[in-house]
Amino acid sequence: MRRAPRRAAWGAALMLALAVAPAARACAFDAWLPPLTLVDRLFDADAVALGVADPEDPARWVLSGAPRAVSTSAYAPDPAAFLAAGADARPPALDADEAVLFAHDPLDDVWRRLEVVDRVTRPAIERILAEAPGWQDPLDPARIALAAEMLGARDGRLRRLALRELDRAPYPTLRALDLPLGADALAESLRDPAAGQSEPIHALLLGLAGGPRAQALVAGRLGAAAPGEAISPALGAWAVALVELQGEAGVEALDARFLASEAGRDPADLAPIVEALAIQAEAAPPPVRARILATLEARLAARPDLAAPVARSFGGRGDYAMGPGVQAALARRAGLPAAEAMTAAGYVFAARKAASPDDAGGGGGAAWTPD
């Protein structure tokens, strides 16, 4: 009879923990998720077609190639029949070495025009189609390694494709790659008018490239953020790069510039900086990790309203080292909105469970040390 309240408490706490349960991370800085890439479309396709205008009738399509699709099946449509039926529009005027790439999505039974390929990009497409059947999922290490190799391509289209692919990779995976672009090449790529959406991955790669040029670019970008200015996810990526380049000094600089100096800012606005520190806590050397944890512990003591952003960022990575700090902040949670308090309480419960699986009911845990 005495077990019922304990089970009820465990069930309520489990519901709270779901708010910060670890989630799949598809990109290095999870405040954005790139749209489906060309490789995604090919990875999901059950039929692929390369089409051009019929030399005898430029208003009609003709099949110039049908590379093997990744998820081929007995039900895959015939590419030649699709093109013979008119595809999706009149064929465009193309150069002699160009063709339009189409892929059929079996989930919604739609052919999609992806892009125009030529003698430079076609070999890369065919290599992707040849290697993709061995990939297990969109974050397969072989797929990420291929993207890293393509990053060094001379053709800007292939580099942009590689950047979009690498934007999906978790940060610890990025840190382990042998990346072919240095700071100078990344700086030039960042000036590309088409680079707007890829600013975050450029920032992360600059941090990993290292050197004086990267130091200047990263420090300059963060220094240009005016007090009170909105902190975008992209700025969070530059914050990750600063810690990569400067270590403990970078952590102290972020704390002084954003967390300590803008005490009146809404805690949600500071989430990209907290997220940046959580990302580095996962990947950094032990002294830098220790500095991050100590900095956030101190900041939570001064600003208990940061409990929820800290809980989300660390809980989403299954990192429960901030449990004591979040628990202490909850004890001073006057005025903390109910949803934010639930998120923080869920993280504390999950941290206790991770530290002491046998204490699922939360009856103990006073001496609990998750780290």
Side-chain angles (χ1 to χ4, degrees):
M1 295 298 292
R2 296 180 61 185
R3 289 182 176 271
R6 187 178 178 90
R7 283 198 297 267
W10 182 90
L14 178 60
M15 293 300 291
L16 294 174
L18 292 176
V20 291
R25 301 252 161 186
C27 52
F29 192 82
D30 76 339
W32 63 85
L33 184 64
L36 290 177
T37 69
L38 173 65
V39 181
D40 290 323
R41 298 294 191 190
L42 294 173
F43 189 77
D44 293 336
D46 64 350
V48 178
L50 288 166
V52 297
D54 187 336
E56 298 181 1
D57 182 0
R60 295 177 58 84
W61 288 92
V62 64
L63 186 68
S64 71
R68 181 182 182 276
V70 176
S71 56
T72 51
S73 73
Y75 304 101
D78 177 19
F82 160 69
L83 290 172
D88 62 349
R90 180 187 176 96
L94 300 173
D95 292 338
D97 66 342
E98 294 179 327
V100 176
L101 176 67
F102 294 91
H104 182 263
D105 186 341
L107 294 179
D108 54 12
D109 190 25
V110 169
W111 281 93
R112 289 189 170 87
R113 181 189 298 217
L114 300 184
E115 64 177 44
V116 174
V117 299
D118 57 22
R119 60 185 175 83
V120 175
T121 56
R122 182 168 178 167
I125 298 301
E126 291 178 341
R127 182 180 174 188
I128 290 167
L129 288 166
E131 296 190 16
W135 300 341
Q136 298 300 310
D137 58 59
L139 292 179
D140 191 286
R143 175 173 172 175
I144 295 172
L146 176 58
E149 180 183 333
M150 289 172 59
L151 189 63
R154 295 179 62 182
D155 187 83
R157 295 164 298 175
L158 295 180
R159 287 200 305 272
R160 286 190 289 273
L161 174 59
L163 285 166
R164 290 187 63 192
E165 284 289 297
L166 292 174
D167 206 8
R168 301 294 189 89
Y171 191 66
T173 302
L174 284 180
R175 290 182 98 240
L177 294 174
D178 183 14
L179 297 167
L181 289 189
D184 289 340
L186 286 164
E188 182 178 348
S189 176
L190 192 56
R191 288 196 294 269
D192 183 340
Q197 287 187 324
S198 62
E199 179 187 349
I201 186 61
H202 276 92
L204 297 175
L205 296 180
L206 277 166
L208 294 170
R213 182 74 187 280
Q215 288 269 9
L217 287 168
V218 172
R221 176 66 179 87
L222 287 165
E229 176 185 333
I231 301 175
S232 66
L235 198 65
W238 291 99
V240 173
L242 186 72
V243 176
E244 190 68 41
L245 292 165
Q246 298 185 3
E248 295 179 60
V251 177
E252 293 170 359
L254 291 176
D255 180 46
R257 168 61 186 83
F258 295 102
L259 302 181
S261 66
E262 302 197 35
R265 188 189 281 268
D266 188 295
D269 294 342
L270 296 169
I273 303 302
V274 174
E275 180 80 358
L277 293 173
I279 287 170
Q280 281 291 8
E282 183 179 27
V288 179
R289 174 178 167 83
R291 174 67 65 182
I292 290 169
L293 300 181
T295 296
L296 288 175
E297 289 266 5
R299 203 47 53 211
L300 282 170
R303 288 201 57 174
D305 59 348
L306 286 174
V310 170
R312 288 192 190 95
S313 296
F314 281 79
R317 290 175 169 75
D319 185 342
Y320 300 113
M322 290 304 303
V326 172
Q327 181 176 349
L330 271 175
R332 303 185 304 278
R333 66 180 184 271
L336 193 65
E340 302 291 271
M342 286 184 64
T343 296
Y347 176 73
V348 170
F349 170 79
R352 288 191 177 209
K353 184 73 172 85
S356 181
D358 294 334
D359 188 30
W368 139 91
T369 54
D371 191 14

